[in-house]
Amino acid sequence: MRKITLGTSPLQVPVIAVGCMRILSLSLTEAERFIRTALDHGANFFDHADIYGGGTCEEIFAEAVGMNSAMREQFILQSKCGIRRGMFDFSKEHILSSVDGILKRLKTDYLDVLLLHRPDALVEPEEVAAAFDQLERAGKVRYFGVSNQTPMQIQLLQKYVKQPIIANQLQLSITNATMISQGFNVNMENGAAIQRDGSVLDYCRLHDITIQPWSPFQYGFFEGVFLDNEQFPELNRQINEIADKYAVRNTTIAIAWLLRHPARMQPVTGTMNLERLSDCCRASEIHLTREEWYAIYRAAGNVLP
Ligand SMILES: NC(=O)c1ccc[n+]([C@@H]2O[C@H](COP(=O)([O-])OP(=O)(O)OC[C@H]3O[C@@H](n4cnc5c(N)ncnc54)[C@H](OP(=O)(O)O)[C@@H]3O)[C@@H](O)[C@H]2O)c1
């Protein structure tokens, strides 16, 4: 498994992060096999959130591997907080209590990375700064990042938070590539030119913030998987043709398309299927040509100006 540096941190992480949002669908035995398979592929970076399964996903993960301090270092564990029922909450009190809950459920003393899950309109960045300082001093969190945040929201945080923001987890897939399309359609009158994210892709590259694309196989907002989906005939034809050339499955090509972008992204996969997990990991070895990358982009219905 190829590795990248996570943001400006010294952490060397696998290019594929294994998302645990759907681990609830597995029995403990299945979960143990799933995690073991990921580790066998060198995919030891696991993405959690305090809200996945209402906390149950983190519990299942820790229980499945029999987490203890002796084995803790073979994992790189990331989790998120800040989403509550009916609101977002970046208050110091909520961040601190969320992390305590996460550590308890994951049966560990520390998180490698904590992300703030979704922007809170009522954020007081001084409080976030105080929470991060306390968590860092106590050794409970090593590095910090965000999710679904614009450049300006990150800059507002960084005015007060002294730890660098090392990752921004964002929705990005072949069929949801608005952050890429906007860069092609500068100042044009078409819909693709609309600034939806404040140039987050360029901003993250400029500031060495690793983009972690979430839901790399979904179209819409969890509407379904675009692969082998008759709603996307041209896209699937194109992906399958390239998959045949590399003698891999279409799943591998969908991840390889994200990895081909020079921003050095770390896609977060969601599959709980062992074979598909292996296919995702294989993408680490595939380097698409420029022609292939653009052909897939166009086959998804995107028009180059
Ligand atoms: N920061 C955020 O706001 C945010 C939001 C959502 C998710 N996330 C993170 O991102 C991770 C991934 O999200 P996701 O699960 O929605 O992503 P995904 O990888 O796009 O979707 C995975 C789902 O698609 C199914 N699937 C069907 N065919 C597939 C194929 N050929 N290849 C891969 N999957 C296929 C999987 O089923 P099988 O299990 O049967 O393969 C699984 O149910 C989550 O686990 C979570 O860690 C973050």
Side-chain angles (χ1 to χ4, degrees):
M1 170 72 65
R2 198 155 52 78
K3 293 195 171 176
I4 51 166
T5 303
L6 196 64
T8 51
S9 80
L11 273 185
Q12 294 297 303
V13 298
V15 286
I16 306 294
V18 180
C20 295
M21 182 178 77
R22 301 177 192 264
I23 206 167
L24 198 60
S25 63
L26 304 183
S27 68
L28 277 182
T29 315
E30 289 168 337
E32 199 274 331
R33 264 187 79 203
F34 174 78
I35 297 161
R36 193 57 48 203
T37 303
L39 292 178
D40 288 346
H41 285 292
N44 67 337
F45 187 105
F46 295 92
D47 181 67
H48 292 272
D50 57 357
I51 54 159
Y52 293 162
T56 321
C57 293
E58 291 172 330
E59 283 171 354
I60 290 175
F61 182 91
E63 205 173 321
V65 298
M67 184 66 79
N68 59 48
S69 53
M71 70 178 346
R72 170 64 180 88
E73 281 193 20
Q74 62 183 293
F75 302 101
I76 304 175
L77 297 182
Q78 168 173 284
S79 193
K80 318 183 204 73
C81 70
I83 299 184
R84 291 177 59 190
R85 193 178 291 275
M87 68 176 82
F88 304 110
D89 190 347
F90 286 1
S91 65
K92 180 182 175 193
E93 190 189 4
H94 180 70
I95 293 171
L96 293 179
S97 67
S98 295
V99 170
D100 283 341
I102 290 167
L103 296 180
K104 197 167 164 212
R105 289 189 294 275
L106 284 174
K107 297 195 167 94
T108 180
D109 296 333
Y110 69 95
L111 273 181
D112 294 285
V113 187
L114 174 73
L115 305 184
L116 298 177
H117 206 156
R118 226 171 229 294
D120 172 15
L122 304 184
V123 61
E124 294 181 54
E126 300 90 332
E127 284 207 26
V128 176
F132 283 9
D133 277 345
Q134 196 166 319
L135 290 169
E136 188 182 52
R137 261 199 319 272
K140 292 181 179 179
V141 177
R142 296 176 69 197
Y143 302 102
F144 299 87
V146 295
S147 178
N148 307 306
Q149 293 214 6
T150 66
M152 282 301 169
Q153 289 166 332
I154 295 174
Q155 276 199 211
L156 177 63
L157 274 182
Q158 287 281 211
K159 180 174 177 193
Y160 299 91
V161 169
K162 70 169 192 282
Q163 297 80 5
I165 298 298
I166 64 164
N168 190 6
Q169 198 171 108
L170 296 155
Q171 184 174 14
L172 175 60
S173 69
I174 296 169
T175 52
N176 189 338
T178 53
M179 73 174 76
I180 293 171
S181 297
Q182 182 252 308
F184 287 130
N185 293 272
V186 178
N187 198 32
M188 296 183 73
E189 288 188 332
N190 61 26
I194 294 170
Q195 274 270 7
R196 295 172 198 274
D197 56 43
S199 296
V200 75
L201 174 55
D202 295 324
Y203 179 86
C204 288
R205 291 182 78 180
L206 270 169
H207 294 270
D208 296 315
I209 295 172
T210 300
I211 291 180
Q212 298 179 329
W214 58 261
S215 291
F217 296 98
Q218 307 285 317
Y219 63 95
F221 193 65
F222 303 114
E223 276 171 54
V225 173
F226 57 79
L227 290 178
D228 300 319
N229 182 330
E230 57 188 21
Q231 289 183 62
F232 303 92
E234 180 52 21
L235 177 61
N236 277 286
R237 192 202 57 72
Q238 186 62 70
I239 290 177
N240 290 340
E241 185 186 306
I242 295 170
D244 284 347
K245 176 189 152 189
Y246 289 93
V248 296
R249 274 190 270 268
N250 54 1
T251 302
T252 305
I253 298 301
I255 296 291
W257 187 83
L258 293 168
L259 294 180
R260 177 61 177 80
H261 195 284
R264 293 193 291 275
M265 300 181 192
Q266 186 192 30
V268 189
T269 62
T271 182
M272 289 294 132
N273 174 290
L274 299 185
E275 202 170 37
R276 283 199 272 273
L277 175 65
S278 303
D279 289 341
C280 290
C281 292
R282 278 200 76 180
S284 147
E285 301 152 22
I286 307 278
H287 186 79
L288 297 180
T289 64
R290 177 177 294 268
E291 287 75 12
E292 288 161 350
W293 188 90
Y294 271 97
I296 291 172
Y297 176 77
R298 292 193 318 269
N302 297 301
V303 180
L304 294 177

